[in-house]
Amino acid sequence: MDPLNILKEYFGYESFRRGQQELIEGIIDNKDVLGIMPTSGGKSLCYQIPSIIMDGVTIVISPLISLMKDQVDSLGELGIEATYINSTLTVAEQRKRIADIENNKYKLVYVAPERLNSMEFLSLCNRVKIPLVAIDEAHCISQWGHDFRPSYKEIPRFINRLNNRPVVGAFTATATKEIIVDIKELLSLDNPLEILTGFDRENLYFHVERSIDKKKFLIDYLKNKNDKSGIIYCSTRKEVEGVCHYLNEHGLKAGIYHGGMGSAERQESQEDFLYDKKLIMVATNAFGMGIDKSNVRFVIHYNIPKNMEAYYQEAGRAGRDGEDSDCIVLFSPQDVVKQKYIIQQNQMNPDREALLYRNLQYLVDYCHTNECLRKRILEYFGEIETIDKCGNCSNCLDDREYEDITIDAQKVLSCVYRMEEKYGTTLVAQVLKGSRNKKVLNFGLDKITTYGIIKDKTEKEIKQLILYLVAEDFLKLTESKFPVVRLTSKSIDVLKGKEKVFRKVQKRETVKEDIIVHEELFNELRELRMEISTKNGVPPYIVFSDSTLKDMCKYLPTTKEEMVNIKGVGNKKLESYGDRFILVIADYKDRTGAETEVKAIKSSDNSGKIKTHIITYNMYKEGRSLEEIANEREVTEGTILNHLVKCYEEDKEVDWSSMVDKDLEERISAAIDEVGAEYLKPIKEQLPDEISYEDIKKVLYKRIYSS
Ligand code: ADP
Ligand code: MG
Ligand code: ZN
């Protein structure tokens, strides 16, 4: 069978995602590969499909024992023979599996890197045929990354000790230069085929909240999310426990996970989450590496993580099934102070420290920008060709008005001044409010002129106002354990009335309601899924993902032919459960007279709504100019260009040869020849101002695509 057939028949997907096919073909051609794709980009398929095609058993090295069972179960559901060997098994069970491996029972064996030290395992590996060693989360081998695992260093030694060197495939979601270099070198990849796909995840909605009451936000947000599963990340154990407690008090059931818990306890908590017994997980970053739960609908960062890379990896755990999901950061300046404090505590060389500060700052800037958030993320990952406005982030969708809060700001600033820049946010807020708090009185702060000058706000609101001013750089917090509020150079201008302060008001409902057709049926299908899940001991999403169930509701399949056309239904699952789901759907149709207007035809991944780039393409095909399309769609020409690139990559016809006129093209070409094509900015600088980035890009595309 060829890779595409396997994708259809076993996995029930109709087309490959970016990069998958190349990587799979590379492996089958006996080339080492390095696949760099975002979280949920579909890396697993890239070694699973070759393992089915190639003779022998593929070894998969994966850092987390807790995940192996899940992966093996998933494969079992798809009709692919796989197993794992790790320390959770009894010695007798390990022996049995080893014997089965020798008898060619399995196509894939998952192990943790520690296993590679075992002589017994090594000798097994030299008795069976191993066409491929796949290294998942390969960045774990690099010290530069955020989840370095010393045991990953065992991998090259293991490979060297094999009698026949297998193909080596490494996979990661990390695109940092240093780490990529490390992976290639440390794993001694042999002239690898390197595929780096785009990092965009269209189904993720990015959202930043600054200076808000975080707990209140959580409650409001989660109220609208009944039945939805999600993760809330906090930076410390204490914070995890606090947030969880607060949620429980408000009637929201949540599990917790952090490094301070025993391993059995952690395991249980993780399972409750995976099996949808508890929908919300409050956790530190100890939770989730490789969490493959596909229906995580939101990832909220209650505190910022240490850098953009960690953020995107954690946030990327939302929406693995391709359905719309939210990635929200609740920013507060104190958290930045905390992160800086952590950096200071770890004595390290100045270069590394500077790097950590820079990486943190990128994330802080992300939290403050008014530009498209997705653009900021993609730029971080080195994508120069990014959108200007994605239309699916809190900045792109923000239509709030600015309110002038200069007067209140002046009151706060002068109070900080009168208090001699010696106290923290709470005390400043209390003084402004005119609190009779003991501390206030003891320090004699009720005597200063700014005491009680903001009466119409609660103490909490005042505190948020202070934090807002910090976030906007009108005040700052010292980097110490108990941060003190200080004035900044910007404060003076505000106090003198030279600069005004604005703040956005009139919050819109940020939470998008997602519409499920035939919700009642959806619930029935979920019940059936839960029943099967419980009976077979696999998490519900392994039976079918939410998006598969939604498609069933949309297309109401009642025959096997119709059912197999649903995304995520392959032959094995059709055989195992198809009939039972068909029965429920047929019954629902009888009962309600529901009919679908459309038939499911497996099309590309992420079916459903017409994608924005396709809308552009249709207009383009009508012969309209890029400028016209941009005007009508109210986006920039750059965005339209990006749409066309995407279409082109999906094999649609785009004529790159006639995008710019000859004369202009020659001038731009000359500039490119002069400074190279790697970066846009130097090219632009070579040229007169009226030549736009878009023109340059058009010429670049022509060079790439019509040669
Ligand atoms: P990661 O790159 O993070 O390891 P996974 O391999 O776990 O990602 O894949 C994420 C999800 O995407 C899984 O649910 C997987 O079944 C799904 N997926 C992978 N490839 C495709 C495809 N070609 N079409 C549709 N869904 C896919
Ligand atoms: Mg993975
Ligand atoms: Zn955006």
Side-chain angles (χ1 to χ4, degrees):
M1 261 203 287
D2 70 7
L4 188 61
N5 276 330
I6 294 181
L7 182 75
K8 291 181 187 173
E9 307 236 325
Y10 283 88
F11 294 89
Y13 299 135
E14 202 59 13
S15 57
F16 282 114
R17 288 192 182 154
R18 285 179 77 179
Q20 287 180 325
Q21 193 168 0
E22 291 90 329
L23 288 161
I24 291 169
E25 283 170 358
I27 294 175
I28 298 173
D29 267 358
N30 282 318
K31 281 200 208 89
D32 282 1
V33 301
L34 171 57
I36 307 156
M37 296 175 167
T39 310
S40 298
K43 292 184 281 294
S44 327
L45 279 187
C46 300
Y47 53 82
Q48 287 164 350
I49 289 185
S51 81
I52 298 170
I53 296 173
M54 295 162 101
D55 205 23
V57 51
T58 291
I59 305 287
V60 183
I61 301 168
S62 156
L64 279 194
I65 289 181
S66 54
L67 247 183
M68 291 178 188
K69 187 171 176 312
D70 210 41
Q71 298 234 350
V72 165
D73 287 347
S74 287
L75 290 166
E77 289 295 309
L78 299 171
I80 302 165
E81 296 289 346
T83 191
Y84 59 90
I85 301 181
N86 64 32
S87 52
T88 64
L89 303 174
T90 61
V91 174
E93 181 61 29
Q94 290 186 20
R95 291 263 151 77
K96 177 164 181 311
R97 291 195 185 188
I98 287 177
D100 284 342
I101 293 167
E102 241 183 313
N103 291 324
N104 295 318
K105 183 158 178 239
Y106 300 113
K107 293 306 298 179
L108 294 119
V109 177
Y110 284 77
V111 295
E114 290 79 11
R115 177 71 32 184
L116 308 176
N117 280 327
S118 140
M119 282 318 285
E120 193 181 1
F121 185 70
L122 183 69
S123 102
L124 166 74
C125 290
N126 276 324
R127 291 195 303 273
V128 294
K129 181 157 187 205
I130 298 175
L132 167 65
V133 171
I135 300 152
D136 209 359
E137 316 286 354
H139 60 276
C140 289
I141 200 166
S142 170
Q143 304 227 28
W144 291 101
H146 50 90
D147 28 50
F148 169 60
R149 305 267 159 141
S151 54
Y152 260 62
K153 301 258 182 195
E154 299 299 331
I155 299 174
R157 201 160 64 114
F158 166 75
I159 293 172
N160 279 333
R161 289 159 91 189
L162 294 175
N163 297 340
N164 299 305
R165 186 182 184 278
V167 174
V168 180
F171 301 90
T172 178
T174 298
T176 327
K177 274 209 192 82
E178 296 92 347
I179 299 180
I180 301 287
V181 169
D182 263 10
I183 293 177
K184 287 196 277 195
E185 277 184 17
L186 299 175
L187 289 174
S188 316
L189 295 183
D190 177 14
N191 187 22
L193 168 73
E194 195 176 324
I195 302 279
L196 185 128
T197 66
F199 268 71
D200 191 17
R201 301 264 318 276
E202 278 182 14
N203 61 315
L204 300 185
Y205 162 74
F206 294 99
H207 185 117
V208 174
E209 286 288 341
R210 287 187 299 246
S211 330
I212 49 153
D213 182 341
K214 296 185 183 188
K215 291 211 167 98
K216 181 167 178 308
F217 177 91
L218 281 185
I219 300 298
D220 289 347
Y221 178 85
L222 296 172
K223 260 200 328 242
N224 289 316
K225 289 276 152 185
N226 33 9
D227 293 350
K228 305 267 165 56
S229 184
I231 307 171
I232 300 168
Y233 278 113
C234 306
S235 59
T236 61
R237 292 170 197 183
K238 209 173 127 208
E239 198 108 61
V240 166
E241 277 157 4
V243 168
C244 182
H245 181 72
Y246 187 81
L247 295 182
N248 288 340
E249 273 185 338
H250 284 76
L252 293 158
K253 236 166 90 179
I256 62 172
Y257 192 105
H258 58 65
M261 293 158 63
S263 83
E265 217 183 338
R266 279 202 308 243
Q267 176 83 15
E268 191 186 323
S269 181
Q270 170 160 330
E271 255 161 43
D272 282 351
F273 181 66
L274 294 182
Y275 285 75
D276 284 344
K277 282 187 210 146
K278 283 190 183 152
L279 293 171
I280 304 169
M281 175 64 101
V282 187
T284 62
N285 63 2
F287 178 72
M289 206 229 293
I291 283 296
D292 281 354
K293 185 172 159 71
S294 73
N295 65 339
V296 174
R297 292 279 73 87
F298 56 87
V299 172
I300 299 176
H301 279 80
Y302 193 80
N303 309 108
I304 54 164
K306 61 176 152 191
N307 57 39
M308 179 53 93
E309 198 186 312
Y311 175 65
Y312 201 52
Q313 189 158 70
E314 285 161 19
R317 290 177 188 137
R320 292 175 87 88
D321 53 10
E323 294 286 315
D324 289 346
S325 309
D326 298 345
C327 303
I328 302 172
V329 182
L330 306 181
F331 178 86
S332 63
Q334 292 105 313
D335 293 342
V336 184
V337 175
K338 230 186 266 170
Q339 289 292 352
K340 287 188 176 165
Y341 189 71
I342 296 171
I343 296 175
Q344 281 167 17
Q345 292 315 97
N346 292 321
Q347 308 266 320
M348 57 193 117
N349 76 50
D351 280 356
R352 191 165 168 85
E353 194 172 297
L355 178 75
L356 295 183
Y357 274 119
R358 255 199 326 277
N359 288 347
L360 171 63
Q361 192 55 43
Y362 197 95
L363 185 61
V364 174
D365 290 345
Y366 168 84
C367 295
H368 285 100
T369 182
N370 289 318
E371 281 186 353
C372 174
L373 296 174
R374 190 179 309 274
K375 180 181 160 82
R376 276 300 172 92
I377 293 173
L378 296 179
E379 277 171 356
Y380 178 83
F381 288 102
E383 289 183 25
I384 51 165
E385 308 297 326
T386 56
I387 33 190
D388 295 313
K389 245 176 169 300
C390 72
N392 194 23
C393 74
S394 54
N395 284 348
C396 286
L397 295 175
D398 190 353
D399 59 359
R400 288 173 301 169
E401 310 262 305
Y402 280 103
E403 181 191 37
D404 186 339
I405 56 160
T406 310
I407 306 267
D408 277 340
Q410 284 169 336
K411 289 179 182 170
V412 174
L413 298 181
S414 66
C415 188
V416 171
Y417 175 73
R418 302 268 169 224
M419 290 169 77
E420 297 174 339
E421 307 179 62
K422 280 197 311 214
Y423 303 96
T425 47
T426 308
L427 213 54
V428 176
Q430 285 169 346
V431 171
L432 283 161
K433 179 72 192 168
S435 154
R436 308 291 304 160
N437 182 296
K438 235 164 91 195
K439 252 190 181 167
V440 174
L441 302 180
N442 284 351
F443 291 132
L445 294 170
D446 54 336
K447 305 279 182 319
I448 63 177
T449 53
T450 52
Y451 180 76
I453 53 169
I454 302 186
K455 279 253 155 45
D456 60 336
K457 287 189 164 45
T458 65
E459 197 180 302
K460 213 168 179 178
E461 283 167 342
I462 299 174
K463 207 166 155 182
Q464 266 151 36
L465 175 61
I466 298 171
L467 293 179
Y468 176 77
L469 293 172
V470 174
E472 301 299 312
D473 216 18
F474 292 107
L475 284 173
K476 67 180 174 211
L477 292 177
T478 55
E479 281 157 27
S480 45
K481 199 152 181 215
F482 300 102
V484 165
V485 191
R486 296 257 165 87
L487 298 175
T488 69
S489 52
K490 275 170 89 181
S491 327
I492 314 300
D493 288 343
V494 175
L495 284 170
K496 287 187 181 157
K498 280 199 214 148
E499 183 168 348
K500 282 189 179 306
V501 182
F502 294 94
R503 178 175 175 167
K504 288 196 162 175
V505 287
Q506 177 230 317
K507 264 282 146 52
R508 304 189 318 143
E509 230 3 90
T510 50
V511 185
K512 291 183 299 177
E513 265 314 309
D514 89 319
I515 305 152
I516 301 174
V517 244
H518 303 302
E519 190 155 5
E520 191 186 329
L521 174 61
F522 181 71
N523 290 332
E524 288 172 21
L525 295 177
R526 273 179 42 161
E527 267 168 40
L528 173 57
R529 177 177 70 175
M530 185 56 106
E531 198 185 308
I532 295 172
S533 142
T534 315
K535 179 148 170 286
N536 298 6
V538 294
Y541 63 89
I542 286 185
V543 178
F544 281 128
S545 69
D546 280 4
S547 62
T548 299
L549 297 191
K550 277 186 201 163
D551 270 9
M552 289 185 195
C553 293
K554 188 159 156 208
Y555 300 114
L556 305 173
T558 46
T559 64
K560 286 197 166 177
E561 291 70 44
E562 286 169 355
M563 187 54 107
V564 81
N565 268 333
I566 299 289
K567 187 180 82 181
V569 184
N571 287 341
K572 176 75 191 322
K573 285 190 182 170
L574 180 72
E575 217 177 278
S576 317
Y577 322 119
D579 286 341
R580 301 187 61 184
F581 283 84
I582 286 175
L583 225 59
V584 172
I585 296 167
D587 177 62
Y588 176 82
K589 278 168 95 170
D590 281 350
R591 213 170 61 227
T592 61
E595 275 303 332
T596 176
E597 289 125 50
V598 265
K599 265 210 162 75
I601 309 166
K602 269 189 198 167
S603 61
S604 58
D605 188 25
N606 221 342
S607 60
K609 60 190 171 197
I610 304 186
K611 295 200 183 156
T612 174
H613 68 288
I614 301 294
I615 299 175
T616 294
Y617 188 71
N618 291 338
M619 294 168 81
Y620 169 78
K621 272 295 177 197
E622 285 166 12
R624 306 227 247 157
S625 76
L626 268 51
E627 196 184 342
E628 276 168 24
I629 303 175
N631 284 339
E632 181 163 334
R633 302 208 61 199
E634 296 183 333
V635 294
T636 64
E637 222 180 305
T639 304
I640 298 298
L641 255 183
N642 285 324
H643 288 168
L644 291 182
V645 169
K646 198 158 173 196
C647 293
Y648 189 76
E649 287 180 349
E650 289 173 1
D651 277 342
K652 295 188 176 50
E653 225 174 287
V654 176
D655 181 8
W656 297 104
S657 65
S658 59
M659 291 251 173
V660 279
D661 66 54
K662 266 258 141 340
D663 176 50
L664 190 57
E665 185 185 335
E666 270 168 26
R667 290 168 71 187
I668 296 173
S669 278
I672 296 173
D673 293 338
E674 180 95 19
V675 296
E678 197 179 355
Y679 298 105
L680 286 176
K681 207 164 168 207
I683 305 175
K684 176 102 170 69
E685 281 164 359
Q686 290 282 310
L687 294 160
D689 278 351
E690 66 272 15
I691 297 184
S692 66
Y693 274 110
E694 279 65 45
D695 289 333
I696 301 173
K697 287 185 192 172
K698 287 176 194 166
V699 174
L700 285 170
Y701 289 135
K702 181 175 172 186
R703 288 187 164 207
I704 308 166
Y705 292 140
S706 42
S707 53

